[in-house]
């Protein structure tokens, strides 16, 4: 039952209709007997500051922030975690002693999934990342900090990839470069990578059959990761599996980023298995 003692957590963004986060978090609270409630709160850019400043003064432990507010929220915070500052995006805010501190748990979510589901430690490995948007930023910065040997960015808009690679090389260490899709295919460059990661929206409905690169770029020695989690097994992952590569579903990163946020809100380790089960049920897997 929700009472005045119940701690609240909000998800701020729009649209939120397809978000799995409320169900995942609420399932974990129930499983652990915690008096918490996670609420989806649709808010547009115009009202973000009003809503955020209001919940900060209420009985909220914090909030998750999703599209399109992951960058705009930074101006409303009192404190910023250094990694979130480097990435330039916040997806989790913790309220404590009247102050709001921003974090980026996509970074930890990605890393935990890569290590746990992919059995990969980034140090010394070569990564080829498709896309250079917000998700690619979190992933590429994380890999650079974790001492990846090489991070190559391949994006439809090449200029964005070049800018991101330059930022990584300047702020973390010199390990990032870029390649065009055409050159990736023609030169067989992808074969030199250990891990391929899709961070674009290709593979999501209505582009279910789209892939970030041609099939021929995928080799059996690759670990192939997709951050798209709906459908559970994207066209990219299906093709990778057919070609003998190891695959890592996007659902893993979603669950682990939620788990990291859960700990920031409650101070406790979450019931991961329950969160994963709930997410899989929501996707009808
Ligand atoms: P997110 O925060 O989820 O990463 P984003 O910042 O909008 O979202 O980034 C989306 C990424 O998917 C970008 O790299 C985008 O490429 P552009 O920079 O060229 O826009 C990529 N993307 C989206 N639709 C694409 C498409 N049809 N073909 C190739 N890349 C696409």
């Amino acid at each position: 039952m929700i009472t005045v003692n119940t701690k609240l957590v909000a998800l701020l963004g729009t649209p939120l209709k397809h978000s799995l986060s409320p169900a995942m978090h609420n399932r974990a609270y129930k499983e652990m007997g915690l008096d918490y409630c996670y609420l989806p709160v649709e808010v547009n850019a115009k009202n973000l500051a009003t809503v955020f400043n209001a919940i900060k003064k209420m009985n909220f432990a914090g909030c998750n922030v999703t599209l399109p507010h992951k960058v705009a929220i930074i101006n409303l915070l009192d404190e910023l975690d250094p990694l979130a500052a480097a990435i330039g995006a916040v997806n989790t805010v913790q309220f404590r002693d009247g102050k709001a501190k921003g974090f980026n748990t996509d970074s930890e979510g990605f890393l935990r999934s890569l290590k746990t589901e992919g059995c990969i430690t980034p140090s010394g490995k070569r990564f080829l990342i498709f896309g250079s948007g917000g998700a690619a930023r979190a992933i590429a910065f994380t890999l650079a900090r974790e001492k990846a040997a090489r991070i190559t960015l391949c994006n439809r808009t090449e200029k964005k990839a070049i800018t991101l690679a330059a930022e990584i090389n300047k702020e973390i260490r010199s390990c990032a470069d870029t390649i065009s899709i055409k050159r990736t295919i023609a030169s067989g460059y992808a074969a030199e990578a250990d891990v391929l990661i899709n961070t674009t929206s290709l593979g999501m409905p209505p582009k279910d059959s789209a892939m970030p690169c041609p099939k021929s770029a995928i080799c059996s020695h690759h670990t192939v990761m997709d951050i798209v989690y709906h459908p559970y097994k994207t066209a990219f992952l299906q093709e990778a599996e057919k070609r003998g590569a190891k695959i890592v579903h996007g659902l893993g990163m979603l669950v682990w980023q939620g788990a990291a946020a859960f700990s920031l809100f409650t101070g406790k380790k979450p019931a991961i298995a329950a969160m994963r089960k709930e997410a899989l049920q929501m996707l009808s897997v």
Side-chain angles (χ1 to χ4, degrees):
M1 195 174 73
I2 296 175
T3 70
V4 286
N5 295 322
T6 305
K7 275 280 181 196
L8 304 173
V9 176
L11 171 63
L12 306 182
T14 186
L16 298 180
K17 204 166 127 196
H18 298 292
S19 174
L20 303 184
S21 296
M24 266 194 328
H25 283 260
N26 285 323
R27 171 79 174 259
Y29 300 149
K30 193 170 169 197
E31 191 87 7
M32 296 169 69
L34 295 178
D35 190 10
Y36 272 72
C37 180
Y38 189 107
L39 305 162
V41 178
E42 282 209 337
V43 55
N44 60 23
K46 192 171 138 247
N47 294 325
L48 179 67
T50 311
V51 171
F52 181 76
N53 289 324
I55 66 166
K56 193 178 154 189
K57 292 202 176 354
M58 294 160 70
N59 198 23
F60 280 78
C63 60
N64 277 134
V65 183
T66 187
L67 295 174
H69 308 313
K70 286 186 181 185
V71 177
I73 197 75
I74 293 175
N75 283 332
L76 305 173
L77 302 172
D78 302 299
E79 291 170 45
L80 189 54
D81 173 71
L83 178 59
I87 294 168
V90 160
N91 76 331
T92 303
V93 181
Q94 186 188 53
F95 296 147
R96 198 178 270 179
D97 305 325
K99 293 233 160 80
K101 181 169 181 181
F103 297 85
N104 188 307
T105 69
D106 288 334
S107 167
E108 185 177 334
F110 161 73
L111 199 55
R112 295 290 292 266
S113 181
L114 184 73
K115 287 182 177 173
T116 312
E117 283 107 33
C119 304
I120 298 265
T121 306
S123 174
K125 305 281 188 326
R126 294 157 302 177
F127 293 82
L128 176 57
I129 299 178
F130 299 102
S132 295
R137 282 187 77 81
I139 289 173
F141 268 94
T142 305
L143 289 172
R145 280 170 56 118
E146 294 291 318
K147 312 233 168 352
R150 191 173 67 198
I151 302 162
T152 304
L153 298 160
C154 180
N155 194 41
R156 178 178 60 179
T157 311
E158 275 188 82
K159 228 167 90 181
K160 263 167 76 178
I162 292 167
T163 306
L164 177 54
E167 273 183 56
I168 290 166
N169 291 338
K170 184 167 170 248
E171 288 174 34
I172 314 275
R173 33 184 277 278
S174 186
C175 59
D177 59 10
T178 66
I179 192 165
S180 67
I181 291 267
K182 262 193 199 154
R183 250 187 72 219
T184 307
I185 307 153
S187 62
Y189 188 88
E192 291 177 22
D194 301 300
V195 185
L196 310 184
I197 306 173
N198 176 42
T199 72
T200 76
S201 48
L202 296 170
M204 259 183 223
K207 296 191 189 111
D208 313 43
S209 58
M211 303 209 335
C213 64
K215 301 173 189 178
S216 57
I218 307 169
C219 308
S220 60
H221 73 267
H222 284 145
T223 294
V224 176
M225 188 170 187
D226 204 328
I227 70 156
V228 174
Y229 57 81
H230 179 229
Y232 180 63
K233 198 184 282 181
T234 58
F236 188 39
L237 293 183
Q238 284 179 38
E239 198 52 51
E241 199 170 55
K242 269 193 221 156
R243 298 176 77 88
K246 182 177 173 64
I247 63 167
V248 183
H249 297 273
L251 192 84
M253 178 171 162
L254 176 85
V255 173
W256 286 114
Q257 67 74 30
F262 183 103
S263 297
L264 288 168
F265 299 140
T266 65
K268 293 186 192 313
K269 274 191 185 168
I272 293 272
M275 290 175 92
R276 187 182 299 273
K277 207 166 157 190
E278 185 68 31
L280 285 167
Q281 271 172 12
M282 298 278 292
L283 293 174
S284 311
V285 178

